[in-house]
Coordinates of all heavy atoms in Angstrom, one line a residue:
K1 N 0.8 -1.2 0.0 CA 0.0 0.0 0.0 C 0.8 1.2 0.0 O 0.6 2.2 -0.8 CB -0.9 0.0 1.2 CG -1.7 1.2 1.4 CD -2.7 1.1 2.6 CE -3.5 2.4 2.8 NZ -4.4 2.3 4.0
I2 N 1.9 1.3 0.8 CA 2.6 2.5 1.0 C 3.9 2.6 0.3 O 4.5 3.7 0.0 CB 2.9 2.8 2.5 CG1 3.9 1.9 3.1 CG2 1.6 2.8 3.3 CD1 4.4 2.3 4.5
G3 N 4.6 1.5 -0.1 CA 5.9 1.5 -0.7 C 6.0 1.8 -2.2 O 5.2 1.4 -3.0
N4 N 6.9 2.8 -2.5 CA 7.3 3.0 -3.9 C 8.1 1.8 -4.4 O 8.0 1.4 -5.6 CB 8.1 4.3 -4.0 CG 7.3 5.5 -3.7 OD1 7.6 6.1 -2.7 ND2 6.2 5.8 -4.4
H5 N 8.9 1.3 -3.6 CA 9.7 0.1 -3.8 C 9.7 -0.8 -2.5 O 9.7 -0.2 -1.3 CB 11.2 0.4 -4.2 CG 11.3 1.0 -5.5 ND1 11.2 2.4 -5.8 CD2 11.5 0.5 -6.8 CE1 11.4 2.6 -7.1 NE2 11.5 1.5 -7.7
I6 N 9.9 -2.0 -2.7 CA 9.8 -3.0 -1.6 C 11.1 -3.9 -1.8 O 11.4 -4.4 -2.9 CB 8.6 -3.9 -1.6 CG1 7.3 -3.0 -1.5 CG2 8.6 -4.9 -0.5 CD1 6.0 -3.7 -1.7
S7 N 11.8 -4.1 -0.6 CA 12.9 -5.1 -0.6 C 12.5 -6.2 0.3 O 12.2 -6.0 1.5 CB 14.2 -4.4 -0.1 OG 14.5 -3.4 -1.0
I8 N 12.4 -7.4 -0.2 CA 12.1 -8.6 0.6 C 13.3 -9.2 1.1 O 14.3 -9.4 0.4 CB 11.4 -9.7 -0.3 CG1 10.2 -9.1 -1.0 CG2 11.0 -10.9 0.6 CD1 9.0 -8.8 -0.1
M9 N 13.4 -9.5 2.5 CA 14.5 -10.0 3.2 C 14.3 -11.4 3.7 O 13.2 -11.6 4.1 CB 15.1 -9.0 4.2 CG 15.5 -7.7 3.7 SD 16.3 -6.7 5.0 CE 17.8 -7.5 5.2
E10 N 15.3 -12.2 3.7 CA 15.3 -13.5 4.3 C 16.7 -13.9 4.8 O 17.6 -13.8 4.1 CB 14.9 -14.5 3.2 CG 14.8 -16.0 3.8 CD 14.7 -17.0 2.7 OE1 15.0 -16.8 1.5 OE2 14.2 -18.2 3.0
G11 N 16.8 -14.2 6.0 CA 18.0 -14.7 6.6 C 19.1 -13.6 6.5 O 20.3 -13.9 6.5
G12 N 18.8 -12.3 6.6 CA 19.7 -11.3 6.6 C 20.0 -10.7 5.2 O 20.7 -9.8 5.0
C13 N 19.5 -11.4 4.2 CA 19.8 -11.1 2.8 C 18.6 -10.4 2.0 O 17.5 -10.8 2.4 CB 20.2 -12.3 1.9 SG 21.6 -13.2 2.6
I14 N 18.9 -9.5 1.2 CA 17.8 -8.9 0.4 C 17.7 -9.9 -0.8 O 18.6 -10.0 -1.6 CB 18.2 -7.5 -0.1 CG1 18.3 -6.6 1.1 CG2 17.2 -7.0 -1.2 CD1 18.8 -5.1 0.7
V15 N 16.5 -10.5 -1.0 CA 16.3 -11.5 -2.0 C 15.6 -10.9 -3.3 O 15.7 -11.5 -4.3 CB 15.6 -12.7 -1.5 CG1 16.4 -13.4 -0.5 CG2 14.2 -12.3 -1.0
Q16 N 14.9 -9.8 -3.1 CA 14.3 -9.1 -4.3 C 13.9 -7.7 -3.9 O 13.5 -7.4 -2.8 CB 13.1 -9.9 -4.8 CG 12.4 -9.2 -6.0 CD 11.3 -10.0 -6.6 OE1 10.9 -11.1 -6.0 NE2 10.7 -9.6 -7.7
T17 N 14.2 -6.8 -4.8 CA 13.7 -5.4 -4.6 C 13.1 -5.0 -6.0 O 13.5 -5.3 -7.1 CB 15.0 -4.5 -4.5 OG1 15.6 -4.8 -3.3 CG2 14.6 -3.0 -4.5
G18 N 11.9 -4.3 -5.8 CA 11.2 -3.8 -6.9 C 10.0 -3.0 -6.5 O 9.6 -2.9 -5.4
R19 N 9.3 -2.5 -7.6 CA 7.9 -1.9 -7.4 C 6.9 -3.0 -6.8 O 7.1 -4.1 -7.1 CB 7.4 -1.3 -8.6 CG 8.4 -0.1 -9.2 CD 8.0 0.4 -10.5 NE 7.9 -0.7 -11.5 CZ 7.5 -0.6 -12.7 NH1 7.1 0.6 -13.1 NH2 7.5 -1.6 -13.5
P20 N 5.9 -2.5 -6.2 CA 5.0 -3.5 -5.6 C 4.5 -4.4 -6.7 O 4.4 -5.6 -6.5 CB 3.8 -2.6 -5.0 CG 4.6 -1.3 -4.6 CD 5.7 -1.1 -5.6
E21 N 4.0 -3.9 -7.8 CA 3.6 -4.8 -8.8 C 4.6 -5.7 -9.5 O 4.3 -6.8 -9.8 CB 3.0 -3.9 -10.0 CG 3.9 -3.0 -10.7 CD 3.9 -1.6 -10.2 OE1 3.7 -1.5 -8.9 OE2 4.2 -0.6 -10.9
D22 N 5.9 -5.3 -9.4 CA 6.9 -6.2 -9.9 C 7.1 -7.4 -8.9 O 7.2 -8.6 -9.3 CB 8.2 -5.5 -10.0 CG 8.3 -4.5 -11.0 OD1 7.6 -4.6 -12.0 OD2 9.1 -3.5 -10.8
I23 N 7.0 -7.1 -7.6 CA 7.1 -8.2 -6.6 C 5.9 -9.2 -6.8 O 6.2 -10.4 -6.7 CB 7.0 -7.6 -5.2 CG1 8.2 -6.6 -5.0 CG2 7.1 -8.7 -4.2 CD1 9.5 -7.2 -4.9
V24 N 4.8 -8.6 -7.0 CA 3.6 -9.5 -7.2 C 3.6 -10.3 -8.5 O 3.3 -11.5 -8.5 CB 2.3 -8.7 -7.0 CG1 1.1 -9.6 -7.3 CG2 2.2 -8.1 -5.6
L25 N 3.9 -9.6 -9.6 CA 3.9 -10.3 -10.8 C 5.0 -11.1 -11.1 O 4.9 -12.1 -11.9 CB 3.7 -9.2 -12.0 CG 2.4 -8.5 -12.0 CD1 2.4 -7.3 -13.0 CD2 1.3 -9.4 -12.3
R26 N 6.2 -10.8 -10.7 CA 7.4 -11.4 -11.0 C 8.3 -11.7 -9.8 O 9.4 -11.3 -9.6 CB 8.3 -10.6 -12.0 CG 7.7 -10.5 -13.4 CD 8.4 -9.5 -14.3 NE 8.1 -8.2 -13.8 CZ 7.0 -7.5 -14.3 NH1 6.1 -8.0 -15.0 NH2 7.0 -6.2 -13.8
P27 N 7.7 -12.7 -8.9 CA 8.5 -13.1 -7.7 C 9.9 -13.7 -8.1 O 9.9 -14.5 -9.0 CB 7.6 -14.0 -7.0 CG 6.6 -14.5 -8.0 CD 6.5 -13.4 -8.9
A28 N 10.9 -13.4 -7.4 CA 12.3 -13.8 -7.7 C 12.5 -15.2 -7.4 O 13.3 -15.9 -8.1 CB 13.4 -12.9 -7.0
N29 N 11.9 -15.8 -6.4 CA 12.2 -17.2 -6.0 C 11.0 -17.7 -5.2 O 9.9 -17.1 -5.1 CB 13.5 -17.3 -5.1 CG 13.4 -16.4 -3.9 OD1 12.3 -16.1 -3.5 ND2 14.6 -16.1 -3.4
A30 N 11.1 -18.9 -4.8 CA 10.0 -19.7 -4.1 C 9.6 -18.9 -2.8 O 8.4 -19.0 -2.5 CB 10.3 -21.1 -3.8
Y31 N 10.6 -18.4 -2.2 CA 10.3 -17.7 -0.8 C 9.4 -16.5 -1.1 O 8.4 -16.3 -0.4 CB 11.6 -17.2 -0.2 CG 11.5 -16.4 0.9 CD1 11.2 -17.0 2.3 CD2 11.7 -15.0 0.9 CE1 10.9 -16.1 3.4 CE2 11.5 -14.2 2.1 CZ 11.3 -14.8 3.3 OH 11.1 -14.1 4.4
V32 N 9.8 -15.7 -2.1 CA 8.9 -14.5 -2.4 C 7.5 -15.0 -2.9 O 6.5 -14.4 -2.5 CB 9.6 -13.6 -3.5 CG1 8.7 -12.4 -3.7 CG2 11.0 -13.2 -2.9
S33 N 7.5 -16.0 -3.8 CA 6.2 -16.5 -4.2 C 5.3 -16.9 -3.1 O 4.1 -16.6 -3.1 CB 6.4 -17.7 -5.2 OG 7.1 -17.4 -6.3
E34 N 5.8 -17.5 -2.1 CA 5.0 -18.0 -1.0 C 4.7 -16.9 -0.1 O 3.5 -16.8 0.3 CB 5.9 -19.0 -0.1 CG 5.1 -19.5 1.1 CD 5.9 -20.5 1.8 OE1 7.0 -20.9 1.5 OE2 5.5 -20.9 3.0

């Protein structure tokens, strides 16, 4: 809702950064997809 860009983190690592719609439409890996 509020982010221009979102960075998804797992285990201390940034696994994907993008616009909200990029995250939803093109998840980088299984973790982001879940």
Side-chain angles (χ1 to χ4, degrees):
K1 177 179 180 178
I2 70 171
N4 299 111
H5 288 87
I6 299 172
S7 296
I8 306 288
M9 297 191 68
E10 179 190 20
C13 301
I14 297 175
V15 296
Q16 184 174 0
T17 296
R19 295 172 302 176
E21 59 268 31
D22 294 331
I23 300 291
V24 172
L25 291 175
R26 291 174 286 277
N29 58 23
Y31 174 77
V32 180
S33 294
E34 186 176 352

